[in-house]
Amino acid sequence: MYVPLFTLLALALAGCGDPRVSALVPQGSNARESLSLIQISAYIMFGVMGVVIFLLAVVLIRFRAKPGDRTIPKQVEGSNLLEFIWTAIPVLIITVLSILTVRLTFSMAQDHSDDPNALKLQVIAHQYWWEFRYPDLGIVTAQDLYIPVGKKISVELWSTDVIHSFWVPALTGKMDANPGALLDGKRQNANRFSFDAETVGVFLGKCAELCGPSHALMEFKVVVLPEDEFNRWVEAMKKPAPKPETTKAAAGEQTFQKNCMACHALEATDTANRPGPNLANIGNRLTIAGVLPAGDDAERAASLRRWIEAPNDVKPQNDVPGTVVMPPFKDKLSPEELDQLVDFLMLQKVDVAPPKAAAR
Ligand code: CUA
């Protein structure tokens, strides 16, 4: 009975262990502590299983009815000692597990918003994309979250529509993003927590709360840089948007101003609340719209074009009724205008490139 079960598990779990996305290969202190809790629980469970299987085997072998023996075994019903033992042991196990779990939960929920050494970050979930604001640095970005290695990131998390959940398996556990209106200058229902990354690299993030037809496509990346490089990235993000140097890109800029600017900002320092993602470093994005490949510039440009032409084909029901939508431009812009627009958008890069080997 156990052999097929373990075979099945081995097959099902064989995909685990990708360091960019696995809670089993932790790259941050939250994930590391969570894993140790998982391990402790698993060891206790294996211990209980061992004892139960052992006792079962003993009973099956030793107390088997012998041929011809028709006596009734000694009845243990109502034994105080036995009742005590099988109540006390589980209570003890549950107590140990709950103390460890509650301690870890509270340590992760620690509010570092007054910690001068922590980097403040606001994470805002939208159907179906992620916005990242650095209130102390005065910049905004989307989809690719840049953080410095080894630093506490103090997060304030909310949503502009339905409930989402912020999850970076390799770095930190799930946290709900609740719809949070601003009331008397205070964000309602925002969740606060902190996390950090202990290694430089790119880690995958997911929305972990069913939020609509494109929930499974609501992905993001966490780009962890050495601190000096992160600071260079911040400075690069603060520079004005690059100006087009070719006539083609200049025409693209016109198209952008006519069609896109109402919803999208081109400069990371433009911190006004806009309906669409900030596009300051769209030419650096590790994926387009969170899911389309962007391994190199050619692939990125092709993905951008595909997204702009028909976003709904990429993310079903991207135009949830009642939300501000990214409309399809297939019929609004000519193929030439689309080319020019993509050319212009591809210029929007900062000169701190994300680490390589970062594809989906
Ligand atoms: Cu957002 Cu699921």
Side-chain angles (χ1 to χ4, degrees):
M1 175 196 166
Y2 290 103
V3 175
L5 186 67
F6 276 119
T7 317
L8 204 69
L9 277 178
L11 275 176
L13 300 177
C16 297
D18 180 340
R20 297 170 309 151
V21 72
S22 178
L24 302 178
V25 191
Q27 313 282 341
S29 60
N30 285 4
R32 194 162 35 75
E33 286 165 35
S34 302
L35 180 63
S36 70
L37 192 59
I38 293 172
Q39 283 166 334
I40 293 169
S41 316
Y43 293 149
I44 294 179
M45 188 184 75
F46 288 137
V48 170
M49 223 163 80
V51 171
V52 169
I53 291 171
F54 173 74
L55 288 179
L56 184 69
V58 167
V59 169
L60 282 179
I61 294 163
R62 228 184 117 190
F63 298 102
R64 181 176 287 263
K66 313 267 178 330
D69 180 1
R70 312 214 59 172
T71 53
I72 302 224
K74 188 184 159 207
Q75 299 299 295
V76 293
E77 183 191 338
S79 158
N80 284 342
L81 180 66
L82 278 177
E83 296 271 0
F84 177 76
I85 290 174
W86 67 53
T87 309
I89 294 177
V91 166
L92 196 74
I93 292 176
I94 300 290
T95 311
V96 169
L97 282 179
S98 38
I99 289 172
L100 293 173
T101 309
V102 169
R103 221 175 48 181
L104 181 59
T105 308
F106 274 83
S107 103
M108 283 183 192
Q110 239 174 43
D111 187 2
H112 281 266
S113 50
D114 291 330
D115 179 351
N117 293 317
L119 175 71
K120 315 282 180 296
L121 176 72
Q122 294 173 329
V123 176
I124 306 149
H126 304 258
Q127 274 168 325
Y128 299 95
W129 60 281
W130 297 88
E131 179 176 354
F132 305 111
R133 294 177 163 255
Y134 303 78
D136 293 347
L137 306 175
I139 57 171
V140 184
T141 189
Q143 292 304 95
D144 292 352
L145 167 61
Y146 284 69
I147 58 168
V149 70
K151 201 159 185 164
K152 270 278 173 244
I153 314 296
S154 166
V155 183
E156 191 186 10
L157 170 71
W158 72 91
S159 150
T160 53
D161 34 59
V162 299
I163 301 174
H164 305 267
S165 178
F166 178 90
W167 187 29
V168 190
L171 298 181
T172 186
K174 299 167 187 175
M175 185 64 83
D176 272 3
N178 301 316
L182 207 54
L183 205 68
D184 301 328
K186 209 176 168 287
R187 181 71 55 187
Q188 305 297 303
N189 301 325
N191 272 330
R192 285 181 182 77
F193 69 103
S194 54
F195 74 101
D196 58 46
E198 291 170 334
T199 31
V200 167
V202 177
F203 306 105
L204 308 196
K206 282 252 170 207
C207 175
E209 177 72 52
L210 183 61
C211 55
S214 284
H215 151 71
L217 303 170
M218 191 170 161
E219 295 193 354
F220 61 101
K221 307 280 180 296
V222 182
V223 180
V224 184
L225 298 176
E227 187 156 7
D228 53 343
E229 206 168 328
F230 172 78
N231 292 337
R232 284 207 301 124
W233 178 79
V234 172
E235 289 317 307
M237 286 291 274
K238 285 180 175 172
K239 288 188 187 147
K243 280 283 150 204
E245 280 165 8
T246 62
T247 44
K248 190 179 169 197
E253 186 178 31
Q254 300 272 308
T255 307
F256 182 87
Q257 284 167 351
K258 257 184 262 159
N259 295 278
C260 319
M261 221 162 69
C263 297
H264 296 278
L266 274 186
E267 307 205 327
T269 48
D270 184 334
T271 56
N273 282 318
R274 294 189 189 250
N278 187 291
L279 300 179
N281 59 344
I282 187 79
N284 286 115
R285 290 279 156 83
L286 295 165
T287 47
I288 295 301
V291 286
L292 293 177
D296 54 35
D297 277 355
E299 198 175 46
R300 190 173 292 121
S303 289
L304 256 176
R305 180 160 178 161
R306 192 174 149 205
W307 172 252
I308 297 167
E309 279 182 343
N312 257 331
D313 292 355
V314 178
K315 288 187 172 172
Q317 283 194 26
N318 185 63
D319 54 348
V320 188
T323 63
V324 188
V325 303
M326 168 72 189
F329 282 92
K330 203 166 31 186
D331 304 323
K332 284 187 198 152
L333 300 176
S334 69
E336 200 194 356
E337 284 173 313
L338 279 165
D339 272 348
Q340 295 161 346
L341 178 59
V342 168
D343 249 41
F344 172 68
L345 287 175
M346 285 296 295
L347 287 179
Q348 309 305 316
K349 292 174 185 260
V350 301
D351 54 11
V352 178
K356 264 283 157 216
R360 189 169 135 75

